[in-house]
Amino acid sequence: MTTAVGTTPQSPPRPAAAPDRRRTGPRAWATRAPLLPALVFLIVVTQLPFVATLVISLFDWNSLNPDKRAFNGLDNYASVFTDAALRESVLTTILLTAGVVIATVVLGLALALLLDRAFFGRGLVRTLLITPFLIVPVSAALLWKHALYNPEYGLLNGALSWVGELFGDTTPSQPDWIAEMPLLAVIAALVWQWTPFMMLILLAGLQSRPAEVVEAARLDGASAWQTFRYLTLPHLRRYLELGVLLGAVYIVQNFDAVFTITAGGLGTANLPYTIYQTFYQAHEYGLASAAGVVVVIGTIIIATFALRTVSSLFSEEANRA
Amino acid sequence: MTTATVPAPTPSARGALRRAKRRSTALGLLAWAAGLAFCLPALWMLLTSLHAESDAATNPPSLFAPLTLDGYRAFFGADTGVTPWPPLLNSLGASFFSTVLVLLLALPAAYALSIRRVRKWTDVMFFFLSTKMLPVVAGLLPVYLFAKNAGMLDNIWLLVLLYTSMNLPIAVWMMQSFLADIPVSVIEAAQVDGARLPTVLARVVAPMAAPGIAATALICFIFSWNELLFARVLTGVVAQTAPVFLTGFVTSQGLFLAQLCAASVVVSLPVLAAGYAAQDKLVQGLSLGAVK
Amino acid sequence: MPHQQRRRGTRVRAVAGTAAMALLGAGCAGAGGTAFGGGDALNVLMVNNPQMVELQKLTAEHFTAETGIKVHFTVLPENDVRDKISQDFSNQAGQYDVGTISNFEVPFFAKNDWLHPLDTYAEQDEEFDQDDILEPLRDSLTAEGKLYAEPFYGESSFLMYRKDVFEAKGLTMPPHPTWTEVAGLAAEADGAEPGMKGICLRGLPGWGELMAPLTTVVNTMGGTWFTEDWKPQLTSPEFTKATKFYVDLVRKHGERGASQSGYAECLNNMTQGKTAMWYDATAGAGSLEAADSPVKGKIGYVPAPVEETKSSGWLYTWAWGIQKASKKSDDAWKFVSWASSKEYESLVGETSGWSNAPAGKRASTYDNPEYREAAGAFADVTEQAISGADPKNPGVQPRPVPGIQFVGIPEFTDLGTRVAQEISAAIAGRQSVDKALATSQKLAEQVAKEYR
């Protein structure tokens, strides 16, 4: 942190460089001041609604029967914990997030390895590969649902028909993709969108490998696999952690894909969708708020554990300054 | 070591070189194949947008159907007389203003977390990131009720505020990382010269962190532009954004694929353009500044 | 030094504060919401159906030109639009003055006082001719004696079949078929042409998709969702028989990908000659008989198949409801009465053809010679289907609330969709019908408890 600065003898020690033992006083507040607008803004906009959600969760409030709104204490929480649908959606969220993250990391790593070496038109291929990430998410979900998965006129079944025709097959199989593998269908669409994200991070990691070490390994006769396993992977570890963490943060919240592709049906309802459904389709405001509070608390607990991995990133930061 | 002349390659070495070259070309071709295959759905979307509706929904797919701009014409209001410019402008406005506000808030905050760190700065960073993990849909109802009572429904500035809070943690993390790279000596020199904090920020820090600021702005713009849930629930006629407008093309009664693809292409264009133009910044942004 | 630091800190706060205030100020200035775009424009939220698409264009050219009232439309797909309308109307947020609601929402929207009663308007507006509106529709949009919505177009259901294919195969369609006869015909018509299936039935999960035709089949086979004293009957022998019949028929002789097929997919199938019969909304006829339809003139229309009841077609209408919190109800009525008027129907007839006119709501439409010329094939069957619909008594036993293809309670959107998901899974072959109905019975029980 700030202690490393004092090593250069020429520069005078910064006045505020020494850790300020006092928590109050003008110096400490002056240091904090630039942080305050952002902090206050964020607290107001994210925490106040949470308090309101907490209050609403103590009421039995169905917006279609507004006169029957009544305080019912912790009843909503009891319903939340005994609701099978909510438990299922927790499981679905875990499956969805894990599936997408693992698949995107593997695929992203493969693509990054391919892009790591120079070849003709590499820039163009990289541009092609990042395109899925730059398409508006709801567009991408609609594209997969209607233009690709549709059993009547989607591209996937169309391709199967065309291949079938080539081989003289008049009744090619035309599976109903979304109905037969609903969660996989959603996962596939999300993997398509998020693989470029992982690929870019891992590619940057690959390209930051010290070239001399790789060269030395090659000269020593290491095979490609050995170089990968003992040199590349350890170097990439930090980038993998980063990618997995960020990817999980974004995917866990994903709403557009589930809403668009399956409308939460066929066992693909994840937590954001279930809460949305309880609010806007079942109109149970109290119950949905209670579910929201429970999810927030659960997220905080998980985040505390997950963010510990981020401290490894911080140790690098600290060493740099 | 390097002064010795390199001996001419032996026959076996030449063979190895050829093999390596062939493998390299093969891998290059594989990369091209992978790139095209992966991008295929997007290319298909582009092709479908240029087909007539009846050609867009055939099985097997009609690759070589005549090209037409009907889908785009429908998107721009040929059938309904409704142009997409208001939603597009709304999206542009919301994304632009929220990005500006985010930068205004994040830059000083990052300064306080990198160059002149507060105590417990790691806790603050954790807090910022943890707000990103909260399910936004749980807070939707209170925001809606507040907006309704404050008369701010269907108002673009409400979206600006919400998008700012959505992007602020990312921006703070990114800026913190970029500012931490700035050599302290430069800042000290400015301070010794008597500059106050705003001047330091504006005249010294910002130019040096300009690439970082650009990367942050790019990411915040992209995420704001893409946002759908808040926009759908909180806006109506006046402040409708482009993604919501896009969903209006899906109908359960009739063909709509070509129109939808055309709409998707147009609505995604700004993000595509921004992303293509600044691919490096994209990486920096996505990794919260950890990757440079 | 400390002085400078403190001032620097306050400086930053001041700068940030001013920026924030400026933005907030600008926000409050625009907080009227309608500051730009027209403070006196009418805001209409509607579903994305072909009739509505047409309406947008004609409104600007005719209604706004004549009355000077600007109308802003927001168009969303059906599920989204329902969510947004109930959110807006239930909170009386006033974002929209007019919304496309249906005879499903009117009873409880009216009970909760979210809609503007329209009786006074309708009585004073003679040109509108309220009595011309078909009686079942009028009744279904009336609650507690007051009228709350005006239909834009109405529909029932009937059976459409390929006359030419039937003739080629030597099959005859009885004028008032039963479901048993239809199942037999589907088996024989299956494969009549290469790639053609016997029948197309909806299988897409959704209370308004799969559940609508399935409930009519249940009704006519003697089943019901709830008894009059709110006991769920989803595992009753009649309901089970009807569901098994529907699921088996669609699995054996129905379209590919049935569990993802809704109205649009079956329309596509029928147009492209991939199915010989189609049981669905009367609105389908308009598209099938459109000028550029490859099957124009080849379709025969008969009433919805029955078993134990006289009729079984459903009753549905997309209607205009005016939000109680709207401050422009007079202008809203002007728009509503124009969109649902006879003049508007003629306007559509002249500009894009009578088969596209929003029909199914007025008796005069079916007397109009121009309409009969364009829609002769299906006009009478449609009118009979709508006039013969009886939402209060659609089956063989009394119901607790009106509704043919739905149960008129707000919970039905959630319940109907969840049950539809179970049955759609059965259609996809992922579970048995019995298991689907057992799960559905439990869901229905939870809802019934609230009403007992």
Side-chain angles (χ1 to χ4, degrees), chain A residues 1-2 5 11-12 14 16 20-23 31-32 34-35 37-39 41-43 45-47 49 52-53 56 61 107 111 114-115 117-121 123-139 142-144 146-148 151-153 155 157-159 161-162 165 174 191-192 195-197 200-201 204-205 224 238-239 242 245-246 249-250 252-253 255-256 259 272 275-276 279-280 285 289 292 295-296 299-300 303 306-307 310-311 313-314 317 320-321, chain B residues 23-24 27-28 30-32 34-36 38-45 56-61 101 105-106 108-109 111-113 115-122 124-145 161-162 164-166 168-170 172-173 176-177 180-181 184 188 192 197 222-223 225-226 228-229 232-233 243 246-247 250 255-257 260-261 263-264 267-268 271-272 275-276 279-280 282-283 286-292:
Chain A
M1 277 194 9
T2 49
V5 177
S11 51
R14 289 195 331 195
D20 197 334
R21 295 285 167 219
R22 283 170 298 157
R23 288 224 187 123
T31 320
R32 285 185 197 140
L35 181 58
L39 202 54
F41 181 90
L42 203 60
I43 289 179
V45 179
T46 62
Q47 309 304 314
T53 307
I56 297 177
W61 182 9
L107 203 52
L111 290 172
L114 274 178
L115 280 186
R117 50 189 68 236
F119 59 87
F120 180 75
L124 193 54
V125 175
R126 195 169 91 149
T127 308
L128 279 178
L129 283 172
I130 66 171
T131 305
F133 186 75
L134 296 173
I135 296 185
V136 178
V138 70
S139 278
L142 285 169
L143 176 73
W144 277 85
H146 295 285
L148 294 177
E152 298 295 331
Y153 50 75
L155 183 61
N157 279 0
S161 301
W162 181 69
E165 265 177 32
Q174 299 271 274
V191 166
W192 185 71
T195 300
F197 171 79
L200 286 178
I201 293 181
R238 203 189 108 188
Y239 298 87
L242 180 70
L245 176 68
L246 288 181
V249 166
Y250 288 126
V252 123
Q253 296 250 21
F255 175 80
D256 295 349
F259 183 83
I275 297 179
Y276 174 88
F279 265 125
Y280 292 104
Y285 286 0
S289 299
V295 169
V296 165
T299 313
I300 291 178
L307 287 178
V310 184
S311 29
L313 297 170
F314 277 135
E317 295 283 318
R320 247 190 301 155
Chain B
R23 203 180 67 172
S24 182
L27 285 176
L30 183 61
W32 265 99
L36 284 170
F38 197 69
C39 198
L40 190 61
L43 296 171
W44 177 246
M45 180 172 88
T58 60
N59 183 346
L101 185 54
L105 290 172
Y111 178 87
L113 291 169
I115 298 177
R116 287 257 221 136
R117 297 179 205 239
V118 300
R119 280 175 63 91
K120 300 195 189 303
W121 64 284
T122 49
V124 174
M125 298 281 282
F126 283 167
F127 170 73
F128 273 110
L129 192 60
S130 71
T131 61
K132 242 353 240 167
M133 292 180 165
L134 302 177
V136 279
V137 71
L140 201 49
L141 176 67
V143 172
Y144 178 79
L145 292 174
L161 287 179
L162 290 173
T164 305
S165 79
M166 177 177 90
L168 196 51
I170 306 176
V172 167
W173 268 67
Q176 190 269 352
S177 171
D181 275 352
V184 174
E188 286 180 11
V192 160
L197 181 61
I222 291 180
F223 283 147
W225 182 276
N226 287 345
L228 179 68
L229 184 57
R232 182 168 46 211
V233 170
L246 173 71
T247 60
V250 176
L255 299 173
F256 57 89
L257 215 49
L260 183 65
C261 288
S264 300
V267 171
S268 301
V271 177
L272 279 168
Y276 284 159
Q279 286 186 32
D280 301 321
L282 196 59
V283 187
L286 292 177
S287 56
L288 299 188
V291 171
K292 296 208 178 52

Side-chain angles (χ1 to χ4, degrees), chain B residues 237-255:
Chain B
V237 182
V238 168
Q240 189 188 50
T241 58
V244 182
F245 180 75
L246 173 71
T247 60
F249 282 93
V250 176
T251 169
S252 64
Q253 303 192 352
L255 299 173

Side-chain angles (χ1 to χ4, degrees), chain A residues 88, chain C residues 234-235 240 243-244 247 418-419 421-426 429-443:
Chain A
E88 262 182 56
Chain C
L234 278 77
T235 40
T240 314
T243 313
K244 281 198 175 140
V247 172
R418 290 219 213 170
V419 170
Q421 280 164 3
E422 298 294 329
I423 299 183
S424 182
R430 285 152 60 98
Q431 66 178 351
S432 70
V433 171
D434 289 307
K435 181 153 184 307
L437 289 177
T439 319
S440 309
Q441 172 81 353
K442 288 202 209 92
L443 294 169

